[in-house]
Amino acid sequence: MTVALMWEARAAAGRGEELLAWARAQSVDGTPLRREAFRAPQDRVLVITWWDAPYDADLPELPEPDAALVTRPVHRWRFESVGDD
């Protein structure tokens, strides 16, 4: 089974590039099948990691950034693959 972990944060005003650089520099224990970073308007940063693991597996996640770097706590979601359409 493939599980995707999504980590999303909104940077403090004007700090979007800094948050993106911070997120990209974070390492996680283990090696995901894939890892990708995204950015969006309002200085939002999204990181998705894909793992070959059961849905409820204990998987490493990106940490919380320093509170001064973000406007709110990080949002996290977990999804399981249902295959290609």
Side-chain angles (χ1 to χ4, degrees):
M1 169 183 297
T2 302
V3 176
L5 301 183
M6 296 177 64
W7 177 101
E8 187 264 340
R10 184 169 176 194
R15 297 185 74 182
E17 288 300 319
E18 185 180 351
L19 178 60
L20 177 60
W22 179 90
R24 294 179 83 183
Q26 299 307 301
S27 63
V28 294
D29 291 335
T31 304
L33 297 171
R34 180 175 167 194
R35 176 178 169 158
E36 195 166 351
F38 301 85
R39 66 174 149 210
Q42 300 177 330
D43 289 330
R44 289 178 290 144
V45 173
L46 172 69
V47 178
I48 305 174
T49 56
W50 288 262
W51 302 87
D52 181 17
Y55 182 81
D56 58 354
D58 185 21
L59 296 169
E61 299 206 31
L62 272 75
E64 291 278 335
D66 184 271
L69 189 55
V70 294
T71 60
R72 57 167 169 73
V74 169
H75 292 173
R76 300 170 194 273
W77 299 276
R78 182 177 288 225
F79 294 90
E80 65 181 325
S81 175
V82 294
D84 296 330
D85 287 339

